[in-house]
């Protein structure tokens, strides 16, 4: 018999760790190759860990709710086979799960452990930019902090624990001889500045319901918090007359459904218009990268799809190369996969611009949070009939929609954002049976 290791898989380009949400097997269970072993959550997607072997579950090393780095052994499987090499593997101690918080993630509530300002060991002097920034903001001497991460690395969770404890390790200032003498002669005692106390727990009363935070909800919270903290948001809105679009789509929807097998939605027209405008204003299809701005060549539209307890953002790849029908099919298939739990991690990767169909909930105006690291998100609101003053002073009932744009002001300015929205408006207002094909 041989003991084989199952490791935390890498589920995306920038994914460095994952959280075991639920084990689908237990020690003693027999599994086949490719059988799902556990549900794992990352900041990108929830997916399943498949078995790489056929055999019997020997030991589960990472418990539900625990976060470990990519490559850490999460369980072992006993397989048919043998030999000295296999015996050696079996005798080796199981790899200890390493729970290290990535530099861009806030610590989960209640997951902190006391951290003491003890000199850390050698080899742990590599600090992430987020850790450096947090230490500078709170005047923490990192040389006096013991890291809990891999190879003694210091994580944001370590620093947060120290901040919450109020015991901040700071380096003594370098003084000149004169300053030392003056200070020694002075009778004034300088008291340390008190750090803000941690937020008091929210009291609960009879009948209150405490809802545990799932891994998906934690990931959503982390990404939204990062976007709001790092990206200076600006907002703008434009009003669009889509009367001709509504008439055109309504004239097609019955035959389209019978022929294609899915609904022709208004949203497909909006995504097509946005992808076309992005080709003409490529700066809108950019990302902030610290010391540079990256203008993306591919136009991959992220769309928001909600379930009862989570929000997923699958991606329509190369949207500018697709017809309205093609975009509509992608929207339908991606939404179906989200709601059936079959969305794959790679179907959420590579988005360059987000379009959110907030109008499906009846919203008429909203300010979306940018889908980091993208530079903008467009909210498509409800189409509402309103009286509009037309050319010549006549009043007519028209189908109107608000398009609300949130933008990262580090990347985009009002001029390019305004011109982009004006172009989207122009495309939508000129859709008709005479000049627009859905195929």
């Amino acid at each position: 018999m041989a003991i084989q290791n199952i490791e935390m898989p890498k589920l995306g380009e920038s994914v460095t760790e994952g959280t075991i949400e639920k084990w689908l097997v237990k020690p003693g269970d027999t599994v086949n190759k490719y059988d799902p072993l556990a549900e794992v959550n990352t900041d990108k997607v929830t997916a399943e860990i498949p078995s790489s072997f056929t055999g019997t579950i020997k030991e589960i090393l990472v418990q539900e709710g625990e976060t470990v780095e990519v490559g850490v052994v999460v369980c072992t499987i006993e397989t048919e086979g043998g030999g000295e090499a296999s015996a050696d593997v079996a005798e080796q101690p199981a790899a200890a799960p390493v729970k290290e918080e990535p530099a861009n993630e806030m610590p989960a509530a209640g997951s902190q452990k006391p951290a003491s300002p003890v000199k850390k060991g050698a080899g742990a002097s590599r600090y992430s930019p987020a850790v450096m920034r947090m230490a500078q903001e709170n005047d923490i001497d990192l040389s006096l902090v013991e890291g809990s991460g891999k190879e003694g690395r210091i994580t944001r969770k370590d620093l947060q624990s120290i901040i919450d404890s109020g015991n901040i390790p700071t380096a003594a200032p370098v003084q000149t001889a004169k300053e030392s003498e003056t200070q020694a002669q002075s009778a004034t005692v300088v008291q340390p500045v008190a750090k803000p106390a941690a937020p008091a727990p929210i009291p609960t009363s009879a009948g209150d319901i405490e809802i545990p935070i799932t891994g998906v909800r934690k990931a959503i919270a982390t990404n939204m918090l990062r976007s709001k903290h790092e990206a200076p948001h600006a907002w703008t809105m434009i009003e669009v007359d889509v009367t001709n679009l509504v008439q055109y789509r309504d004239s097609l929807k019955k035959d389209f459904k019978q022929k294609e097998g899915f609904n022709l939605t208004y949203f497909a027209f909006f995504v097509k218009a946005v992808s076309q405008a992005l080709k003409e204003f490529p700066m809108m299809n950019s990302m902030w990268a610290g010391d540079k701005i990256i203008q993306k060549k591919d136009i991959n539209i992220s769309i928001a799809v909600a379930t009862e307890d989570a929000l997923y953002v699958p991606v329509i790849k190369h949207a500018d190369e697709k017809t309205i029908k093609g975009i509509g099919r992608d929207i339908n298939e991606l939404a179906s996969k989200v709601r059936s739990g079959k969305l794959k991690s790679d179907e959420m990767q590579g988005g360059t611009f987000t379009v959110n169909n907030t109008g499906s909930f009846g919203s008429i105006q909203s300010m979306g949070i940018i889908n980091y690291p993208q530079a903008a998100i467009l909210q498509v609101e409800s189409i509402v009939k309103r009286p509009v003053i037309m050319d010549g002073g006549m009043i007519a009932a028209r189908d109107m929609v608000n398009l609300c744009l949130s933008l990262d002001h580090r990347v985009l300015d009002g001029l390019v954002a305004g011109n982009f929205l004006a172009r989207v408006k122009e495309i939508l207002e000129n859709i008709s049976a005479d000049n627009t094909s859905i195929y």
Side-chain angles (χ1 to χ4, degrees):
M1 307 295 285
I3 302 298
Q4 305 289 353
N5 293 332
I6 300 295
E7 300 177 348
M8 175 64 70
K10 187 175 181 65
L11 297 173
E13 291 182 20
S14 60
V15 174
T16 59
E17 65 179 12
T19 302
I20 298 292
E21 285 289 298
K22 180 181 179 182
W23 279 106
L24 305 176
V25 296
K26 61 183 182 299
D29 285 355
T30 300
V31 295
N32 295 317
K33 190 174 182 179
Y34 305 124
D35 281 354
L37 302 179
E39 294 178 357
V40 60
N41 172 259
T42 73
D43 62 350
K44 299 288 185 184
V45 70
T46 296
E48 292 178 343
I49 299 179
S51 176
S52 303
F53 313 95
T54 295
T56 303
I57 300 298
K58 182 70 174 177
E59 186 178 8
I60 289 177
L61 303 173
V62 178
Q63 302 306 310
E64 292 182 355
E66 192 170 355
T67 302
V68 296
E69 291 182 335
V70 169
V72 168
V73 178
V74 296
C75 74
T76 57
I77 296 178
E78 188 174 53
T79 63
E80 293 293 335
E84 295 180 1
S86 298
D88 291 341
V89 172
E91 292 172 2
Q92 291 177 356
V98 179
K99 184 173 183 179
E100 178 183 0
E101 189 170 6
N104 62 359
E105 184 170 344
M106 296 292 289
S111 65
Q112 297 147 353
K113 67 176 183 180
S116 57
V118 179
K119 186 77 174 181
K120 61 184 180 63
S125 58
R126 292 178 290 113
Y127 309 127
S128 70
V131 165
M132 291 288 291
R133 182 171 63 250
M134 193 172 183
Q136 291 169 358
E137 290 173 352
N138 294 277
D139 195 25
I140 298 174
D141 184 355
L142 291 175
S143 68
L144 299 176
V145 177
E146 182 179 17
S148 63
K150 187 176 182 180
E151 298 179 354
R153 288 185 64 191
I154 298 173
T155 69
R156 284 177 59 110
K157 184 178 69 175
D158 296 328
L159 299 189
Q160 189 63 49
S161 297
I162 291 173
I163 293 168
D164 292 342
S165 72
N167 187 17
I168 308 296
T170 57
V174 178
Q175 298 178 328
T176 64
K178 184 175 181 179
E179 288 173 337
S180 300
E181 182 181 354
T182 302
Q183 189 176 40
Q185 294 172 349
S186 174
T188 304
V189 178
V190 180
Q191 298 293 337
V193 178
K195 294 291 181 181
I202 298 175
T204 58
S205 304
D208 293 351
I209 300 175
E210 294 186 358
I211 303 173
I213 302 299
T214 64
V216 173
R217 180 54 56 187
K218 287 179 183 177
I220 293 171
T222 297
N223 289 343
M224 295 298 98
L225 191 65
R226 180 180 186 186
S227 181
K228 286 292 289 183
H229 279 186
E230 293 191 18
H233 282 55
W235 294 271
T236 185
M237 185 182 77
I238 196 167
E239 187 179 57
V240 183
D241 186 339
V242 290
T243 304
N244 292 338
L245 185 160
V246 170
Q247 292 174 350
Y248 180 45
R249 178 262 181 180
D250 289 351
S251 70
L252 297 172
K253 65 178 183 179
K254 184 177 179 180
D255 290 340
F256 184 90
K257 177 65 179 293
Q258 291 177 345
K259 181 179 179 181
E260 305 297 341
F262 62 93
N263 290 323
L264 178 62
T265 64
Y266 296 124
F267 192 49
F269 288 88
F270 286 102
V271 172
K272 178 62 180 176
V274 168
S275 63
Q276 182 177 335
L278 286 174
K279 290 195 68 162
E280 300 174 32
F281 295 91
M283 195 62 190
M284 298 295 299
N285 202 48
S286 300
M287 298 180 181
W288 180 264
D291 59 346
K292 57 184 173 290
I293 293 172
I294 299 176
Q295 191 176 104
K296 305 297 287 185
K297 176 184 177 183
D298 294 337
I299 296 176
N300 299 331
I301 303 295
S302 302
I303 60 172
V305 181
T307 62
E308 289 187 1
D309 60 351
L311 179 69
Y312 296 85
V313 191
V315 178
I316 301 173
K317 305 289 178 64
H318 306 289
D320 57 312
E321 300 174 5
K322 296 181 177 179
T323 62
I324 294 171
K325 172 201 164 183
I327 290 174
R329 183 181 296 280
D330 281 359
I331 292 172
N332 180 70
E333 291 180 353
L334 291 170
S336 297
K337 287 182 178 181
V338 167
R339 290 164 185 146
S340 63
K342 297 180 179 179
L343 188 70
K344 298 178 182 178
S345 61
D346 61 353
E347 292 173 315
M348 294 182 66
Q349 307 298 319
T352 60
F353 187 99
T354 298
V355 184
N356 190 6
N357 189 19
T358 45
S360 62
F361 305 108
S363 170
I364 59 170
Q365 184 175 341
S366 60
M367 296 187 295
I369 297 177
I370 299 165
N371 183 17
Y372 188 91
Q374 298 172 16
I377 179 173
L378 185 71
Q379 312 274 98
V380 178
E381 308 295 346
S382 293
I383 298 175
V384 180
K385 280 195 178 293
R386 293 206 301 268
V388 176
I389 299 177
M390 308 295 289
D391 292 341
M394 298 294 291
I395 298 177
R398 307 290 291 179
D399 291 298
M400 306 297 294
V401 65
N402 294 328
L403 302 181
C404 303
L405 181 71
S406 301
L407 55 115
D408 184 341
H409 225 323
R410 297 173 302 178
V411 181
L412 304 171
D413 295 320
L415 179 61
V416 65
N419 288 336
F420 167 76
L421 275 182
R423 180 57 179 143
V424 175
K425 172 185 173 78
E426 181 182 23
I427 294 169
L428 292 171
E429 290 188 341
N430 283 281
I431 289 176
S432 68
D434 296 332
N435 58 20
T436 307
S437 172
I438 61 172
Y439 295 102

